[in-house]
Amino acid sequence: MIRWRRARLTAAREETPTARTLVFEVADWPGHLAGQHVDVRLTAPDGYTAQRSYSLAAPEGVELTVEGLPDGEVSPYLVDELTVGDEIELRGPVGGWFVWRPAVTTPVLLVAGGSGIVPLMAMIRARRLMGGETPFHLVYSLGEPARRYYAAELDTPEPWLTITWVHTRVAPHRRITKDDLPGPGPDVFVCGPTGFVEAAADLLLDLGHDPGQVRTERFGG
Ligand SMILES: Cc1cc2nc3c(=O)[nH]c(=O)nc-3n(C[C@H](O)[C@H](O)[C@H](O)COP(=O)(O)OP(=O)(O)OC[C@H]3O[C@@H](n4cnc5c(N)ncnc54)[C@H](O)[C@@H]3O)c2cc1C
């Protein structure tokens, strides 16, 4: 069984007005693959605990990006209250299916809805670290450009990375369609809220993608 470890917040940066990236120092962290997540546990002074999952945002070190839900229990605390030097508990890495392994050179299609970009960004960063020839295509659907995570990084062109942006709340308001997605061939990773993941997976299967090559991760919601 994976044990709980203490994690100390060493740095935090704002991604958007509602999302924050948190960098933790975790003693004896065993390392992880891009796409894996951790379980985070908060304990109140009266002993009440709450536990949620968060994807690892980078291939090295323990870095999470959390979207604060206005009516959520855990995420507003992580985004607005946790201070550098504070400790929480986490357990991981978790997950062995929704992972990109740098040794696999099949082209990659990443399909992100909102905060679903987080584990996909770990894959992009792992690809950058690794070098090589593997082409990546990211399709990133979000409300508006101001909600982009990792904006400066994704605005820096990389010859191996193609990005298709879909904005649902600025003109032309639209949702992801088959025209945004390439045909079968690449290994596909889809991540986001449950409804988004189901819609994107249906489009991919309609386009003829092999279900065995389409991996999905649902964030709930
Ligand atoms: C594998 C995995 C990876 C994830 N990675 C990330 C990540 O990288 N970044 C990220 O931001 N999130 C991620 N999530 C989502 C995350 O785990 C949390 O679900 C999210 O942060 C919300 O938690 P919360 O405690 O703030 O909200 P919660 O308190 O859990 O509430 C979530 C929503 O449900 C509603 N709700 C709660 N209780 C009720 C009720 N009784 N009746 C009706 N509605 C209710 C709330 O109003 C809110 O809108 C991931 C999830 C999974 C499964």
Side-chain angles (χ1 to χ4, degrees):
M1 205 177 98
I2 315 170
R3 65 182 171 88
W4 289 98
R5 297 165 195 267
R6 299 209 67 78
R8 194 169 63 85
L9 187 70
T10 56
R13 55 180 182 270
E14 199 177 84
E15 289 296 342
T16 73
T18 55
R20 190 157 77 133
T21 290
L22 307 166
V23 183
F24 292 97
E25 183 182 81
V26 184
D28 304 325
W29 182 248
H32 58 272
L33 291 166
Q36 290 189 295
H37 64 272
V38 293
D39 293 331
V40 166
R41 182 165 71 185
L42 304 180
T43 305
D46 66 0
Y48 171 78
T49 63
Q51 191 178 316
R52 299 288 185 276
S53 301
Y54 291 97
S55 298
L56 290 149
E60 292 177 338
V62 177
E63 192 171 314
L64 313 178
T65 305
V66 180
E67 179 73 34
L69 301 184
D71 46 1
E73 185 180 352
V74 170
S75 61
Y77 177 78
L78 295 175
V79 172
D80 301 323
E81 291 181 42
L82 196 70
T83 307
V84 168
D86 286 352
E87 286 194 343
I88 58 166
E89 288 178 291
L90 58 76
R91 179 170 74 176
V94 185
W97 167 245
F98 193 82
V99 293
W100 180 68
R101 295 171 196 275
V104 178
T105 55
T106 311
V108 172
L109 170 63
L110 306 173
V111 186
S115 55
I117 186 68
V118 179
L120 309 184
M121 195 65 200
M123 296 177 192
I124 289 170
R125 289 168 166 166
R127 164 67 182 81
R128 187 185 297 128
L129 271 180
M130 142 94 190
E133 304 291 322
T134 309
F136 271 46
H137 182 173
L138 169 66
V139 180
Y140 186 0
S141 174
L142 69 168
E144 52 182 322
R147 315 285 298 181
R148 275 183 304 172
Y149 290 11
Y150 321 119
E153 209 173 325
L154 290 176
D155 278 345
T156 306
E158 314 240 27
W160 47 269
L161 177 63
T162 306
I163 305 181
T164 302
W165 299 98
V166 176
H167 295 128
T168 53
R169 293 199 194 133
V170 287
H173 301 251
R174 64 187 199 84
R175 303 222 158 236
I176 192 168
T177 70
K178 279 193 221 175
D179 293 340
D180 299 308
L181 299 166
D187 283 335
V188 189
F189 297 87
V190 186
C191 186
T194 299
F196 173 84
V197 169
E198 283 169 6
D202 285 348
L203 294 174
L204 289 159
L205 298 186
D206 281 355
L207 281 167
H209 284 260
D210 173 356
Q213 270 182 297
V214 178
R215 292 162 201 230
T216 59
E217 180 105 287
R218 292 165 168 76
F219 275 8

